[in-house]
Amino acid sequence: MENLLEIRDLKTSFFTHVGEVKAVGGVTFQLKKGEALGIVGESGSGKSVTMMSLMRLLSDNGKVVNGDIMFEGKNIVKLTEKEMEKIRGNDIGMIFQDPMTSLNPVYTVGKQIMEPLMKHKNMNKTDAFNTAVKMLSIVGIPSPEKRMKQYPHEFSGGMRQRVMIAMAIACSPKLLIADEPTTALDVTIQAQILELMKDLKDKINTSIILITHDLGVVADVCNNINVMYGGIIVERGSTRDIFYNPKHPYTWGLLKSVPNPKTLVKERLNPIQGQPPDLLKPPVGCPFAARCDYAMKLCIAKRPPLFDISEGHNAACWLNHPEAPKVKAPVGKEVFANE
């Protein structure tokens, strides 16, 4: 299966009055057609900035300083803004992080869904209205024709998130980027939103990139997972690889922070101690070394490459070097077994 998206050695920085913040420090990954990829990591790890670089929606002081973003053979980095406008919202849709502020409060919901249809698909108002009604129906909003005439403040948080999804999928994009789509939603609505995204992937063969800090969210939706920390990918593999055979101490830390519903005893969760690295002065070695219980002198002095664990599974940790001391992962199949 061919790649829909290929990102090569992407580096994105923000130039501030105190210096250059190296938010993304050399990210490489591929996404195939019809695939769902999860990008996980705590706040500040570079997940959203990577996607904003892809969408060309960086703030004025942000810049892609290196790398290529290939989408269907076109290098997005080199496109003009006019060329990018034809892709953004049409071939690539995005569900933004906060549905409370991402919708325009002075326009009806219907008008906001109709706009990309009229712009990208050259629909007249009648066709755009009918298509928008269908989109609201697809995302599970009752009485869609009535809702078309209402404003965002008349919708609940979960309903606004559904409207955001309807807008993002209105033009049947080849790629859908969902940035923390379940943040601030209750558990029931979260499950409904994730089920909806799975349906979209299956029914219209849309590729999905799901950005989240919650490994539990990606477990049921994504085929593959990239774990990001300090602006780089520290581990990547299939969802099964990451949950059953994690090979990076940061991934172990994330997994240990996830409540296990199968555990009858009330166990204390283990948060990752310490603070993320200062990206004004990124460490020369592994960015996680200062917080890692297994760090060696080598980890501080030299950044590890992505070691091959198995086909499609890599981890940037010196513990995976053939001559490194053997360490048993504190999490894995015995914790997350569901078979």
Side-chain angles (χ1 to χ4, degrees):
M1 195 181 296
E2 60 183 299
N3 291 329
L4 176 71
L5 174 71
E6 188 172 355
I7 293 181
R8 306 172 190 153
D9 196 27
L10 177 68
K11 295 179 182 178
T12 300
S13 294
F14 292 91
F15 296 89
T16 70
H17 67 283
V18 292
E20 180 185 353
V21 179
K22 297 177 180 178
V24 179
V27 164
T28 298
F29 67 86
Q30 298 84 33
L31 178 71
K32 298 187 184 303
K33 291 182 178 179
E35 180 185 22
L37 171 69
I39 301 181
V40 300
E42 62 194 297
S43 297
S45 59
K47 311 181 302 294
S48 294
V49 175
T50 300
M51 292 305 105
M52 287 300 187
S53 302
L54 164 59
M55 293 293 285
R56 293 269 298 270
L57 291 174
L58 294 169
S59 56
D60 291 342
N61 66 335
K63 184 182 178 184
V64 174
V65 295
N66 186 74
D68 299 310
I69 303 173
M70 307 300 295
F71 179 75
E72 291 195 310
K74 297 177 183 176
N75 192 347
I76 281 176
V77 175
K78 296 180 179 178
L79 295 181
T80 64
E81 179 57 27
K82 195 168 183 179
E83 290 172 324
M84 191 63 208
E85 283 178 1
K86 293 178 181 177
I87 294 175
R88 196 189 295 128
N90 186 24
D91 293 325
I92 305 176
M94 186 161 185
I95 305 167
F96 291 94
Q97 198 167 106
D98 187 1
M100 302 297 180
T101 58
S102 298
L103 292 168
N104 192 322
V106 301
Y107 290 113
T108 63
V109 158
K111 186 169 184 178
Q112 293 183 63
I113 301 173
M114 289 165 64
E115 184 180 0
L117 292 166
M118 294 168 71
K119 178 179 179 180
H120 295 298
K121 301 300 183 184
N122 296 318
M123 289 187 184
N124 58 40
K125 279 191 176 182
T126 302
D127 289 341
F129 182 90
N130 292 334
T131 303
V133 168
K134 182 181 176 184
M135 291 297 114
L136 287 178
S137 179
I138 286 173
V139 298
I141 291 182
S143 307
E145 289 195 19
K146 176 185 174 184
R147 290 290 199 169
M148 285 281 290
K149 299 168 186 175
Q150 294 181 329
Y151 291 85
H153 72 270
E154 299 177 80
F155 289 71
S156 66
M159 287 294 189
R160 286 189 223 187
Q161 189 64 290
R162 289 170 185 268
V163 170
M164 288 291 299
I165 294 173
M167 288 175 63
I169 66 170
C171 294
S172 300
K174 296 165 184 172
L175 171 61
L176 178 64
I177 300 170
D179 190 356
E180 301 278 8
T182 58
T183 297
L185 302 178
D186 65 59
V187 177
T188 305
I189 301 298
Q190 280 189 29
Q192 292 173 359
I193 295 294
L194 293 174
E195 193 62 35
L196 175 60
M197 292 183 67
K198 283 199 294 182
D199 285 346
L200 293 172
K201 181 169 78 80
D202 295 337
K203 289 177 181 175
I204 60 176
N205 201 35
T206 297
S207 299
I208 294 175
I209 295 179
L210 176 58
I211 305 168
T212 182
H213 62 275
D214 185 352
L215 270 167
V217 167
V218 299
D220 198 35
V221 178
C222 299
N223 311 99
N224 296 295
I225 297 173
N226 287 346
V227 180
M228 286 191 71
Y229 183 81
I232 64 170
I233 293 173
V234 295
E235 184 165 8
R236 63 187 176 201
S238 69
T239 302
R240 190 172 185 83
D241 289 333
I242 300 301
F243 276 91
Y244 284 72
N245 189 31
K247 288 294 184 180
H248 196 285
Y250 179 61
T251 311
W252 300 344
L254 290 178
L255 289 169
K256 285 165 71 178
S257 302
V258 177
N260 183 10
K262 293 189 176 292
T263 304
L264 297 177
V265 181
K266 291 183 179 178
E267 290 185 350
R268 189 181 183 89
L269 295 180
N270 296 292
I272 302 172
Q273 301 298 327
Q275 297 294 322
D278 181 3
L279 295 180
L280 273 167
K281 298 175 182 175
V284 293
C286 173
F288 189 60
R291 303 171 72 185
C292 182
D293 295 334
Y294 308 91
M296 304 173 283
K297 288 183 179 179
L298 177 62
C299 303
I300 298 168
K302 188 176 181 181
R303 180 166 292 187
L306 278 164
F307 290 99
D308 292 334
I309 310 301
S310 59
E311 186 177 354
H313 185 195
N314 319 95
C317 177
W318 286 114
L319 290 175
N320 296 298
H321 190 282
E323 298 178 11
K326 301 303 175 189
V327 174
K328 187 179 185 298
V331 289
K333 184 169 182 177
E334 66 278 5
V335 177
F336 292 94
N338 58 5
E339 297 173 338

